[in-house]
Amino acid sequence: MLSALLAATLATLPADPLALPSTLSARLRDPGVIRAAVRQAVAGDPAPPLGGKVTVLSAAPYRGLADAMDDARVPACVGPDGLKHQPTNIGPLAVGGVLTLPFLALAALRGRCN
């Protein structure tokens, strides 16, 4: 495609080397030449099917890394996720509310929250 355009351009060039830049730039700025080159380029790359999704850039690996780093972060003890790494269960019974204060102190002693 590009070689055909270059060959056609070189065939129309005069023998005088001093006339080369202006003739070449005028030929490459011609809208018809640009239109033909774009048509050839588009014909070489088929369009995705209707409804098909083309992903050029994806942040999926970075989202996974961000989630892993968020899980590894040591939370603040007084924050909403202070007991993220400290379970508040006594056997099969889940403890909540004010009864989680001893678990919060235990998490602070174990270093599972700051």
Side-chain angles (χ1 to χ4, degrees):
M1 132 185 97
L2 188 57
S3 60
L5 175 64
L6 186 60
T9 303
L10 290 176
T12 60
L13 293 177
D16 184 15
L18 297 177
L20 178 68
S22 64
T23 307
L24 183 62
S25 64
R27 175 82 173 132
L28 292 177
R29 281 185 276 143
D30 181 25
V33 172
I34 294 172
R35 200 172 295 119
V38 169
R39 281 191 189 126
Q40 287 177 355
V42 170
D45 295 330
L50 290 177
K53 183 177 178 183
V54 177
T55 303
V56 177
L57 296 175
S58 174
Y62 302 108
R63 283 192 202 113
L65 176 65
D67 291 344
M69 291 190 65
D70 187 44
D71 287 342
R73 181 182 56 87
V74 177
C77 290
V78 294
D81 58 349
L83 294 171
K84 179 168 86 172
H85 299 296
Q86 175 68 41
T88 58
N89 295 342
I90 300 175
L93 300 174
V95 178
V98 178
L99 297 175
T100 60
L101 290 176
F103 293 100
L104 191 60
L106 185 61
L109 287 174
R110 289 182 175 173
R112 295 186 177 184
C113 67
N114 292 331

